[in-house]
């Protein structure tokens, strides 16, 4: 199988590392070769963060380049727009509609662009935009945005539900498992 | 653990390799992208692990452990190896007793570093062999191999990582731990490097390099991947992965797992088999220059950049291949630079320095973010500890005028690393300098490592604790003040007083990192929209939790921890707790 690429983008502190860990575990369990690339250190402090997940028969590069992502999973609208050039032709964006002002916007040096979901659609990209924060809160924690997104992403994969659940179980603390399972289901059911 | 493959971070795979190689002693100083190696190794009860005050101390401690007969290890980032270069260059002469391996993690692209230096130069200059894995499986295997080379050739061995190998997960298989042990034997001629002895060891080092070069000719980690004969590419590390991604089997590849010393015959034979030869290596043209020195025609840095990290598209474009492009929106996308977290104790202190129009010489840590808007307060950052040493020079030349408005800011961990010697210089050679130690009770930037001032060790157990006030006083600084950076009035008063006084002084700005689990927060503040007049006074501190909505301030309740710094700036009492 040709190598497939998933980019996870968001704001430092939103939980993208856990999402990539769950995906990596899931894909390895399905018999794929997998590489996951993360960024640690300074950019984690509220900066734009990106994680790459790649899988296939044999994966070489751990990173994803422009025009190569089959999926972009985005925790925030501005980040979805920022990384849009990385989406492959006919690739799919799954994004949270939340907006988090970056510092240049907070201090009034720049403006947060309006109607980004529409603009991304008009640019020709396939976008699936949902309110993950509300669903996460409904599941019991605002921090479960990452799991809601994975639930939504699972729509696009032909993988058994049990495999997703097994990866959740292996990667989240037992006391939060039920909440996370609920977040996954809410993400999955959302249309 | 079974033989099933598991996904492992490159740094974790190194730690697994250390476990399997029977390493008994690890001493490191944290630094991105090397930190997780030591953190992961500390999870094995069989390995003694510690955070040392700096890389030089760490490496010398590891050397002592090797001398005593146990396999030992230390890890650091590229700039950390500069600090530890002193012991490294002479350990090359003494060699080792039990195997000793030194990991250095480069950061091409400078994801979290102040420069982009190429650590291979240290291997060449110190005449120490260097292995360079390209994924997690190799990280584990090369670690074990490095110890065998260390003991067989009587040398420390360097392992070079880069951000993409250190912080990528790929599949590895694990095996069991075997612990080789050696006895300590007194050997003055080998281990006491005074001129007479060192003179005899230098020829040994040269002979060893010749033997290692011989080893490099046939070492299995220097591997030819047969492919098309038109193009041959010599490469290593993560560049190998990009080359394979772009070319697959359409070109021949010589992948070098050992980047010092470099083979001669192997390269000549490979070059003879292909029509056109290239070197693909990140940063400096080290392999390329070696190939050229053999009189072989080769292309490298005339096609590929010296700056920044590589990727598959970058290599594809350099070789004239088409790359695909994605989609784009027309709007300008505002950048999202990293910022001090909401509730960060550094914020109030930096705001005070800004208000006092201080010249601030900075250091390495989260607080380097005091240089970005809107605070834009730090005016110099060089390397670990330089804030204090440079302040002394700045004030010596600038005189009383400089002394009354210039400060150094340095974190607790960085102060222990190499700030103390700078302060000793201030106490000894006397400038009326004001040094501010930003004591957030942890090593923050690298992800919360303990240090000699926190009272806990790498495993989180109680440990020795250095009292900063007592230490500073013992060094001859009589004026030591402690402030709470959440209290703007107190910070302002004390900073004014200490800048005015004609004596060296230290201000300790003390408040634990807001992200520490044990720190209890007050809960988010709210903005009373009736009282808020939209003056944006509170926004001068650059808190990510504060933004404007419809002309009034809005507090992000998921971010705000209720530190209350903003409330001290609001003249209208609009910002308050529940």
């Amino acid at each position: 199988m040709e190598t497939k690429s998933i980019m996870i983008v968001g704001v430092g502190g939103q939980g993208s590392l856990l999402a990539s860990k769950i995906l990596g575990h899931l894909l390895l369990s399905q018999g794929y070769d997998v590489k996951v690339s993360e960024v640690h250190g300074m950019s984690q402090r509220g900066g734009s963060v990106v994680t790459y997940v790649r899988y296939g028969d044999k994966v070489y590069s751990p990173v994803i380049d422009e025009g190569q992502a089959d999926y972009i999973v985005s925790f925030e609208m501005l980040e979805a727009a920022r990384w849009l050039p990385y989406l492959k032709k006919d690739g799919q964006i799954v994004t949270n509609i939340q907006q988090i002002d970056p510092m240049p916007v907070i201090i009034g040096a720049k403006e947060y662009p309006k109607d980004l979901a529409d603009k991304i659609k008009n640019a020709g990209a396939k976008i699936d935009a949902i309110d993950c924060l509300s669903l996460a809160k409904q599941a019991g924690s605002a921090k479960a945005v990452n799991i809601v997104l994975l639930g939504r992403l699972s729509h696009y994969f032909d993988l058994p539900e049990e495999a997703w659940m097994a990866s959740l179980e292996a990667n989240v603390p037992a006391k939060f498992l039920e909440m996370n399972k609920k977040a996954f289901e809410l993400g999955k059911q959302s249309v | 653990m079974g033989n099933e493959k598991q996904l492992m971070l490159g740094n974790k795979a190194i730690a697994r390799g250390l476990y399997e190689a029977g390493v008994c002693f690890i001493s490191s100083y944290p630094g991105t992208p090397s930190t997780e190696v030591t953190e992961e190794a500390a999870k094995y009860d069989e390995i003694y692990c510690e955070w040392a005050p700096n890389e030089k101390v760490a490496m010398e401690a590891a050397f002592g452990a090797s001398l005593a007969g146990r396999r030992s290890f230390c890890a650091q980032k590229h700039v950390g190896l500069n600090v530890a270069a002193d012991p490294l260059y002479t350990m090359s002469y003494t060699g080792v007793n039990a195997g000793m391996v030194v990991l250095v993690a480069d950061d091409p692209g400078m994801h979290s570093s102040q420069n982009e230096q190429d650590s291979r130069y240290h291997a060449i200059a110190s005449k120490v062999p260097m292995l360079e894995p390209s994924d997690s499986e190799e990280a584990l295997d090369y670690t074990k191999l490095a110890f065998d080379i260390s003991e067989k050739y009587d040398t420390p061995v360097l392992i070079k990582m880069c951000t993409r190998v250190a912080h990528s997960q790929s599949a590895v298989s694990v095996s069991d731990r075997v612990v080789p042990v050696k006895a300590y034997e007194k050997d003055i001629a080998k281990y006491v490097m005074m001129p007479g002895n060192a003179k005899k060891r230098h020829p040994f080092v040269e002979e060893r390099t010749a033997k290692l070069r011989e080893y490099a000719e046939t070492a299995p980690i220097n591997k030819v991947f047969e492919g098309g004969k038109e193009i041959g590419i010599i490469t290593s590390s993560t560049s190998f992965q990009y080359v394979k991604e772009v070319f697959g089997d359409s070109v021949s590849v010589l992948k070098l797992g050992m980047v010092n010393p470099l083979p001669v015959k192997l390269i000549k034979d490979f070059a003879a088999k292909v029509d056109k030869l290239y070197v693909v290596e990140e940063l400096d043209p080290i392999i390329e220059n070696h190939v050229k020195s053999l009189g072989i025609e080769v292309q490298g840095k005339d096609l590929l950049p010296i700056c920044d990290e590589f990727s598959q598209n970058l290599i594809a474009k350099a070789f004239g291949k088409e790359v695909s492009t994605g989609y784009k929106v027309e709007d300008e996308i505002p950048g999202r630079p990293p910022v001090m977290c909401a509730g960060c104790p550094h914020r109030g202190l930096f705001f005070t320095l800004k208000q006092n129009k201080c010249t601030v010489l900075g250091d390495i840590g989260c607080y380097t973010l005091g240089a970005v808007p809107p605070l834009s307060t730090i005016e110099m950052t060089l390397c670990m500890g330089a804030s204090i040493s440079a302040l002394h020079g700045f004030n010596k030349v600038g005189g009383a005028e400089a002394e009354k408005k210039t400060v150094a800011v340095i974190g607790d961990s960085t102060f222990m690393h190499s700030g103390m010697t700078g302060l000793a210089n201030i106490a000894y050679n006397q400038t009326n300098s004001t040094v501010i130690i930003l004591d957030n009770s942890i090593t923050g930037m690298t992800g919360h490592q303990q240090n000699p001032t926190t009272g806990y060790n790498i495993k989180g157990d109680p440990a020795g604790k250095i009292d900063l006030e007592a230490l500073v006083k013992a060094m001859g600084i009589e004026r030591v003040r402690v402030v709470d950076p959440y209290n703007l009035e107190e910070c302002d008063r004390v900073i004014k007083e200490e800048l005015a006084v004609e004596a060296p002084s230290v201000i300790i700005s003390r408040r634990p990192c807001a992200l520490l689990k044990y720190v209890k927060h007050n809960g988010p503040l709210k903005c009373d929209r009736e009282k808020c007049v939209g003056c944006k006074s509170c926004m001068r501190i650059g808190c990510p939790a504060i933004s404007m909505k419809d002309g009034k301030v809005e507090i992000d309740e998921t971010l705000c921890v209720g530190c209350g710094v903003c409330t001290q700036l609001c003249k209208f009492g609009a910002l308050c707790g529940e």
Side-chain angles (χ1 to χ4, degrees):
Chain A
M1 186 194 98
E2 200 187 322
T3 299
K4 294 264 187 194
S5 301
I6 308 168
M7 258 174 110
I8 304 171
V9 303
V11 179
Q14 277 191 301
S16 57
L17 281 186
L18 178 62
S20 67
K21 204 171 164 190
I22 292 168
L23 273 178
H25 184 275
L26 169 77
L27 294 163
L28 193 74
S29 77
Q30 298 303 302
Y32 295 112
D33 186 27
V34 179
K35 280 189 178 167
V36 179
S37 191
E38 313 161 356
V39 170
H40 300 220
M42 185 168 267
S43 47
Q44 278 185 298
R45 302 279 173 263
S48 170
V49 292
V50 53
T51 306
Y52 309 108
V53 179
R54 307 192 75 216
Y55 65 103
D57 292 337
K58 171 72 189 164
V59 181
Y60 288 107
S61 172
V63 304
I64 299 170
D65 237 321
E66 287 203 4
Q68 294 183 343
D70 294 277
Y71 301 94
I72 293 180
V73 180
S74 172
F75 285 65
E76 200 271 350
M77 279 314 304
L78 188 64
E79 297 310 311
R82 184 189 317 285
W83 297 99
L84 190 57
Y86 283 71
L87 192 67
K88 196 186 249 181
K89 290 289 172 212
D90 293 323
Q92 175 72 47
I93 299 178
V94 178
T95 185
N96 180 13
I97 58 166
Q98 197 180 350
Q99 298 192 4
I100 301 174
D101 287 353
M103 196 48 67
V105 171
I106 289 177
I107 64 174
K110 300 275 173 182
E111 270 190 38
Y112 196 108
K114 293 189 169 48
D115 307 320
L116 278 174
D118 289 340
K119 285 171 182 166
I120 289 171
K121 200 181 290 171
N122 293 338
K126 288 191 275 186
I127 177 167
D128 185 353
I130 53 172
D131 182 357
C132 299
L133 186 59
S134 298
L135 294 174
K137 283 179 181 167
Q138 201 180 318
S141 167
K143 287 189 177 153
V145 163
N146 46 12
I147 308 300
V148 174
L149 273 171
L150 286 184
R152 188 64 201 165
L153 182 70
S154 70
H155 265 283
Y156 300 93
F157 286 77
D158 188 18
L159 293 177
E161 171 102 5
E162 307 84 70
W164 286 91
M165 288 304 127
S167 283
L168 268 189
E169 275 166 37
N171 291 289
V172 305
K175 62 177 172 174
F176 298 126
L177 184 60
E178 279 315 306
M179 185 273 290
N180 279 307
K181 279 185 172 173
K182 195 172 167 195
F184 186 89
E185 278 310 312
L186 285 170
K188 196 176 171 188
Q189 309 299 338
S190 70
V191 178
Chain B
M1 292 197 198
N3 285 327
E4 213 171 280
K5 288 224 172 195
Q6 36 186 305
L7 217 48
M8 222 182 249
L9 200 66
N11 279 348
K12 189 174 176 180
I14 296 271
R16 179 70 202 181
L18 295 169
Y19 170 80
E20 292 178 12
V23 169
C24 294
F25 182 94
I26 296 175
S27 186
S28 301
Y29 185 81
T32 313
S34 72
T35 312
E36 300 80 10
V37 175
T38 304
E39 286 184 320
E40 290 294 337
K43 292 176 184 168
Y44 295 106
D45 287 337
E46 297 89 336
I47 310 177
Y48 171 81
C49 288
E50 64 180 25
W51 291 125
N54 69 28
E55 296 85 354
K56 175 170 146 62
V57 172
M59 190 179 288
E60 291 157 353
F63 175 72
S66 157
L67 196 61
R70 294 295 183 280
R71 285 187 163 185
S72 70
F73 174 84
C74 63
Q76 58 253 288
K77 66 184 295 170
H78 57 334
V79 287
L81 192 58
N82 302 343
V83 177
D86 202 0
L88 177 70
Y89 283 51
T90 303
M91 273 161 39
S92 174
Y93 279 37
T94 62
V96 300
N97 182 23
M100 176 169 167
V101 171
V102 173
L103 180 136
V104 57
D106 281 11
D107 190 15
M110 292 179 276
H111 296 276
S112 197
S113 301
Q114 68 267 40
N115 78 17
E116 206 171 24
Q117 71 186 46
D118 193 324
S119 294
R120 291 177 296 175
Y121 287 120
H122 273 308
I124 295 167
S126 65
K127 307 186 180 194
V128 167
M130 177 181 262
L131 311 186
E132 193 176 28
S134 73
D135 62 19
S136 299
E137 183 91 79
E138 288 182 0
L140 195 163
D141 294 343
Y142 288 18
T143 300
K144 293 166 76 174
L145 174 66
F147 280 97
D148 294 339
I149 293 174
S150 173
E151 285 170 2
K152 183 170 177 196
Y153 292 89
D154 190 13
T155 178
V157 176
L158 284 156
I159 292 178
K160 175 177 169 270
M161 296 288 268
C162 66
T163 301
R164 293 302 176 189
V165 180
H167 287 165
S168 292
Q169 301 177 45
S170 57
V172 302
S173 342
V174 300
S175 46
D176 294 334
R177 175 174 166 92
V178 181
V179 185
V181 172
K182 293 206 170 181
Y184 169 66
E185 279 171 37
K186 183 173 173 178
D187 188 346
I188 291 173
K190 183 173 187 305
Y191 293 120
V192 181
M193 283 303 95
M194 53 189 184
N197 293 341
K199 213 162 184 155
K200 294 187 191 102
R201 291 298 290 180
H202 189 185
F204 163 78
V205 171
E206 299 306 323
E207 285 159 26
R208 183 182 68 203
T209 299
K211 282 182 194 159
L212 282 161
R213 200 180 295 283
E214 201 55 43
Y215 169 73
E217 302 290 359
T218 55
I221 59 171
N222 290 339
K223 192 175 172 189
V224 173
F225 293 77
E226 301 277 356
K229 303 289 178 213
E230 278 175 31
I231 292 178
I233 297 176
I234 305 175
T235 186
S236 70
S237 184
T238 190
S239 297
F240 164 76
Q241 306 291 355
Y242 304 142
V243 164
K244 288 297 274 184
E245 180 87 24
V246 171
F247 294 103
D249 296 331
S250 68
V251 300
S252 292
V253 176
L254 169 56
K255 177 185 179 296
L256 297 173
M258 183 159 166
V259 290
N260 187 60
L262 289 165
V264 172
K265 188 171 179 295
L266 181 63
I267 288 174
K268 283 184 174 168
D269 290 350
F270 180 73
K273 276 193 247 165
V274 297
D275 299 340
K276 187 99 184 64
L277 186 67
Y278 298 89
V279 171
V280 176
E281 59 189 321
E282 284 185 326
L283 303 181
D284 290 358
I286 289 172
I287 300 171
E288 182 184 343
N289 287 346
H290 171 73
V291 175
K292 283 178 175 166
S293 78
L294 303 175
I296 298 168
E297 200 179 314
V298 64
Q299 274 193 286
K301 291 297 165 185
D302 47 349
L303 283 182
L304 294 155
I306 283 186
C307 304
D308 216 337
E309 60 179 345
F310 288 177
S311 67
Q312 51 266 38
N313 274 6
L314 181 139
I315 289 167
K317 282 185 206 162
F319 282 85
K321 286 178 169 264
E322 290 271 320
V323 297
S324 48
T325 51
Y327 302 87
K328 235 182 119 176
V329 293
E330 294 302 320
D331 298 60
E332 185 196 345
I333 307 293
R336 192 185 297 276
V339 292
M340 285 179 198
C341 307
C344 177
H346 303 323
R347 181 173 285 107
L349 197 278
F350 278 111
F351 179 74
T352 309
L353 292 172
K354 186 183 172 84
Q355 292 301 100
N356 281 283
K357 299 192 168 53
C358 291
T359 302
V360 180
L361 307 186
D363 225 293
I364 306 285
C366 289
Y367 48 91
T368 312
L369 293 169
V372 302
L375 291 166
S376 309
T377 307
I378 287 183
E379 299 178 38
M380 183 219 78
T381 295
L382 189 63
C383 63
M384 298 283 282
S387 61
I388 302 182
S389 332
L391 176 67
H392 174 74
F394 195 90
N395 283 346
K396 232 359 161 194
V397 170
E401 203 184 321
E403 287 174 347
K404 294 208 177 328
K405 59 175 285 203
T406 314
V407 301
V409 293
I410 185 167
D412 47 330
S413 187
T414 309
F415 180 73
M416 293 312 300
H417 178 283
S418 48
M420 287 190 286
T421 41
L423 192 63
N425 196 33
I426 286 174
Y428 171 45
N429 286 311
Q430 290 287 306
T431 41
N432 297 327
S433 294
T434 305
V435 171
I436 303 176
I437 301 175
L438 303 167
D439 179 8
N440 65 350
S441 311
I442 203 74
T443 313
M445 178 97 282
T446 44
H448 287 175
Q449 289 75 36
Q450 303 294 340
N451 70 56
T453 68
T454 65
Y456 296 93
N457 65 19
I458 192 170
K459 287 182 185 278
D461 296 326
K465 179 173 165 49
I466 289 177
D467 180 331
L468 278 174
E469 289 94 311
L471 172 69
V472 166
K473 281 186 179 162
M475 292 177 81
I477 309 287
E478 282 166 20
R479 297 190 64 91
V480 184
R481 310 283 296 273
V482 179
V483 297
D484 176 0
Y486 279 0
N487 185 336
L488 296 181
E489 185 279 322
E490 181 187 42
C491 288
D492 185 65
R493 179 169 39 81
V494 171
I495 286 169
K496 281 192 166 81
E497 284 169 13
E498 294 311 315
L499 280 169
V501 78
E502 292 189 355
S505 60
V506 168
I507 301 170
I508 299 171
S509 171
R510 180 168 287 147
R511 170 70 73 168
C513 173
L515 299 183
L516 283 168
K517 287 210 170 74
Y518 69 79
V519 173
K520 295 277 176 278
H521 295 295
N522 293 329
L525 301 176
K526 280 207 171 1
C527 176
D528 184 338
R529 293 181 68 87
E530 298 292 310
K531 290 182 181 168
C532 177
V533 299
C535 70
K536 298 189 181 172
S537 187
C538 57
M539 298 188 76
R540 291 178 293 158
I541 53 173
C543 176
I546 307 177
S547 58
M548 293 293 282
K549 195 177 178 189
D550 309 325
K552 307 264 177 173
V553 159
E554 187 174 65
I555 306 279
D556 183 334
E557 60 178 274
T558 64
L559 289 177
C560 179
V561 300
C563 75
V565 171
C566 60
T567 61
Q568 297 167 62
L569 300 174
C570 182
K571 293 184 184 123
F572 306 95
L575 301 166
C576 47
E578 291 292 338

